[in-house]
Amino acid sequence: MKLYYANKTRSYVPFANFGDDLNGWLWPQLLPGVFNDASSESAFVGFGTLLNENLPKFKQTIIFGTGHGFGNLPQIDDTWKIYCVRGPLTAAALNIPPELGIADTAILVNRVYRPTDTKKKYKLAFIPYAWEMESSPEIFLEVCQQLDYICIDPRWEVEKVLQEISKSELVVSAAMHGAIVADALRVPWISLKSNAGIPDFKWTDFCQSLELEYKVNRFYRFNSISKKIPSLKFIEIKRMVYYIRQLVHKAQFQLSKDHVMENKLNQLDEKLDLFKQDLKAGKFK
């Protein structure tokens, strides 16, 4: 079957994005040999905020940890097989059993990724939202330089992002999958909402799945104005440096409890085993 996720070959994601591209790195390791037919009419839909009206119609649709958050709900019929979704809010929105709202399956990186060097290298890392990093990378690089943080670019290769997260003692992330993976790798994190267009729904869904409270830390930029008036970049950088410094000083970093993470991983392992059994039984073509 084919592995479906948002990627840089589609017009609406014209650049690499860690939260999407991690699908292409993770699933072939968890399910080797399964995704070898790009022309298949059956699709395995991985993690991402893809449960909306824009999800293409496939002959068979397998949902495994996908989330809702943008647009209208998709039309679900008997060609769908839902093993699990991102969290309780997605499960409720789809009107499916709440026990299917396990977690964002990106946490399965915990089962696969092993850093070559386990020593911590960075006191603090900042992961910008990919769309904003694409539009104004110089802003974030300068902010991190002034703060003496490493800037983890979500457009980097997947393994480089994983490596830098694992080497960090703390992570501030505007990218949701930066926070999800940090939690999976047992690195404390704090969220930063840097764009009003990012729905609280998906962050809340992920947090509730791991028995965490979504603590909204909003910092909205005025980059559209600073693009027209370059001299404002200095002010924007100064504002962001001050805000993040205060955020790190005052806010409480988050990390799900070890037993909660392990319980969720065990549940996802069971769903993977069930999928393998169904595949072997010929339920998917």
Side-chain angles (χ1 to χ4, degrees), residues 8 53 61 72 88 96 101 103 108-109 117 148 150 164 174-175 177 205 227 236:
K8 60 186 176 183
E53 73 276 16
T61 300
N72 300 314
I96 60 176
L108 285 166
V109 72
D117 183 359
D148 196 25
I150 178 179
E164 302 299 67
H177 279 93
D205 199 25
K227 281 183 179 179
E236 182 171 13

Side-chain angles (χ1 to χ4, degrees), residues 124-161:
L124 204 149
F126 177 53
I127 310 176
Y129 185 49
W131 288 92
E132 294 188 308
M133 192 66 184
E134 176 74 6
S135 66
S136 50
E138 72 284 353
I139 296 286
F140 297 101
L141 292 173
E142 179 62 27
V143 166
C144 286
Q145 183 176 352
Q146 291 192 25
L147 289 168
D148 196 25
Y149 298 168
I150 178 179
C151 182
I152 297 179
D153 190 333
R155 301 170 301 168
W156 285 345
E157 292 294 325
V158 166
E159 288 210 33
K160 184 175 181 181
V161 176

